[in-house]
Amino acid sequence: MSITEHITSADIFYNDTIMPYWGPVTASLDWCEKNYVVCNFIAEFWNTVTSSFISILGLVGIYSVLREKLETRIIVMYIGTLVVGLGSVAFHATLLLPSQLLDELPMLWGTMSYIYNIKTMSTPRNVENVRLALGLALFGTLWSLGAPWSHYYLPIVFQIMFVGAVIYTTYHLRLFYRQCSNSTAKFLYVVAHASALFGGLLWIIDEKACNHLHDSLGHFWWHKYVGSLHGYWHALMAVYSYLSPVFTTCIRCQVLGDPYFIDWWLFCIPYVRRSHPISVKKHQ
């Protein structure tokens, strides 16, 4: 079976005047953005740039957790966000199958860290569910070993698994939303999930209406730089991937009885701060 049978119709949007820096496409997916039209060493320019947003917010999350000395389980979620962003950069910059795995496998591992946090939300501090952690790790390892075959021949399997995991986490976070006592945290939950839903809509439009988008917008000078709707999906998922752990941290602090409040960097990036009860009252 040839690689062309796996690639979407977007593979026609290739600048054949430039020799591909990374060689021919070997990934099972090639998105709507034209390949190698901005520079000869980045296959999908805008998709690559917006993927970096995910990593940047992952680093911000890691810094905030270390600064406030929060639980390790929280930093694991942000590490997942960081790695997903780096893998996505590699994937869209090269469109090679190995880099596609670097993008998609961390997505699955990161989702499992969400599942672990959800399932152990009510456990006492510093008490971990070793059986659950080992079970999730075993599943992730087995899937990672079979991923090169599955992602090439049956990419729909990964998509179904990932969507199912997202639905599971979304449902349970909704239950925590009802229990949340912090109005700002509840607002961030709404923003996170609205971003994910709108981003998903852009993802679908980018895939299903690719030819129409190029016919309608391709003549504008800016289209080759920032015209990919899939890139905006990255930006919105960066918001979701950052805010969801913030909300999860708020619920965890509430369960443990730890006083906290949500502070802001640059008036637009929220993070959880541990504090004394007096400080909490001032910031609620």
Side-chain angles (χ1 to χ4, degrees), residues 48 50-56 58-59 62 79-94 99-100 102-104 106:
T48 302
T50 53
S51 294
S52 69
F53 299 167
I54 302 174
S55 294
I56 292 171
L59 285 173
I62 292 171
I79 290 174
T81 300
L82 169 63
V83 175
V84 167
L86 293 175
S88 185
V89 167
F91 172 36
H92 290 287
T94 66
S99 58
Q100 180 183 1
L102 291 177
D103 174 33
E104 295 181 350

Side-chain angles (χ1 to χ4, degrees), residues 12 15 94 125 192 199 201 249 271 278:
I12 63 174
N15 185 356
T94 66
R125 192 191 319 274
L201 177 62
T249 304
Y271 68 101
I278 294 179

Side-chain angles (χ1 to χ4, degrees), residues 78-123:
Y78 281 123
I79 290 174
T81 300
L82 169 63
V83 175
V84 167
L86 293 175
S88 185
V89 167
F91 172 36
H92 290 287
T94 66
L95 292 179
L96 301 178
L97 181 60
S99 58
Q100 180 183 1
L101 297 178
L102 291 177
D103 174 33
E104 295 181 350
L105 288 179
M107 291 170 62
L108 191 63
W109 281 92
T111 304
M112 288 191 294
S113 72
Y114 279 67
I115 293 175
Y116 179 84
N117 274 275
I118 288 172
K119 297 290 290 184
T120 61
M121 187 67 75
S122 59
T123 59

Side-chain angles (χ1 to χ4, degrees), residues 62-271:
I62 292 171
Y63 172 76
S64 67
V65 171
L66 293 174
R67 172 179 169 174
E68 299 301 319
K69 299 180 180 179
L70 300 172
E71 291 181 286
T72 303
R73 62 171 62 204
I74 306 301
I75 200 171
V76 169
M77 288 195 291
Y78 281 123
I79 290 174
T81 300
L82 169 63
V83 175
V84 167
L86 293 175
S88 185
V89 167
F91 172 36
H92 290 287
T94 66
L95 292 179
L96 301 178
L97 181 60
S99 58
Q100 180 183 1
L101 297 178
L102 291 177
D103 174 33
E104 295 181 350
L105 288 179
M107 291 170 62
L108 191 63
W109 281 92
T111 304
M112 288 191 294
S113 72
Y114 279 67
I115 293 175
Y116 179 84
N117 274 275
I118 288 172
K119 297 290 290 184
T120 61
M121 187 67 75
S122 59
T123 59
R125 192 191 319 274
N126 299 323
V127 175
E128 304 298 342
N129 189 327
V130 178
R131 180 177 298 180
L132 175 62
L134 289 177
L136 291 172
L138 177 61
F139 171 79
T141 300
L142 292 175
W143 175 257
S144 299
L145 293 175
W149 182 90
S150 175
H151 286 231
Y152 184 79
Y153 290 103
L154 291 172
I156 188 64
V157 175
F158 166 78
Q159 295 169 8
I160 292 174
M161 290 175 55
F162 180 71
V163 170
V166 170
I167 291 174
Y168 176 88
T169 57
T170 300
Y171 171 77
H172 284 83
L173 286 177
R174 171 61 180 169
L175 299 179
F176 291 129
Y177 173 86
R178 298 175 180 176
Q179 303 169 14
C180 184
S181 59
N182 186 295
S183 58
T184 304
K186 297 178 79 170
F187 169 73
L188 295 179
Y189 168 92
V190 173
V191 172
H193 287 80
S195 298
L197 288 173
F198 186 55
L201 177 62
L202 294 181
W203 188 94
I204 294 172
I205 295 174
D206 184 77
E207 181 181 18
K208 301 300 182 182
C210 180
N211 292 322
H212 179 72
L213 290 171
H214 278 288
D215 291 340
S216 302
L217 303 175
H219 62 282
F220 292 106
W221 67 267
W222 49 264
H223 184 257
K224 70 176 183 178
Y225 296 102
V226 297
S228 170
L229 294 184
H230 189 80
Y232 295 99
W233 143 265
H234 288 157
L236 291 168
M237 288 307 296
V239 173
Y240 173 82
S241 300
Y242 179 80
L243 293 185
S244 289
V246 171
F247 176 77
T248 303
T249 304
C250 293
I251 297 298
R252 180 63 176 167
C253 289
Q254 181 177 314
V255 169
L256 295 176
D258 291 345
Y260 74 95
F261 65 93
I262 297 175
D263 208 347
W264 301 81
W265 279 316
L266 303 176
F267 305 101
C268 62
I269 304 177
Y271 68 101

